[in-house]
Amino acid sequence: MWISRRVGAAPDRCFFIDGTAANVTAARDAGMTGFHYRQLDELRAALAQLPNQ
């Protein structure tokens, strides 16, 4: 995916957040961790699960 190249990170190091399920699926297919945003509390919980690196 172009965004991982633009920020200089491998896709498996990217956390992609979007409100459209098809975009999240595309990010996952490209090797990123994808999160389908619906509610802030769900996003906070998902971010809390990420490793600190």
Side-chain angles (χ1 to χ4, degrees):
M1 219 169 185
W2 71 268
I3 193 66
S4 65
R5 287 190 305 270
R6 179 153 182 157
V7 300
D12 65 340
R13 302 279 298 155
C14 296
F15 187 81
F16 182 84
I17 304 164
D18 199 282
T20 303
N23 293 343
V24 175
T25 298
R28 289 176 180 158
D29 289 347
M32 297 181 184
T33 298
F35 180 81
H36 183 200
Y37 178 83
R38 291 175 296 260
Q39 294 185 11
L40 183 56
D41 289 343
E42 293 174 354
L43 177 58
R44 284 183 178 141
L47 292 173
Q49 297 299 314
L50 294 176
N52 291 328
Q53 294 183 5

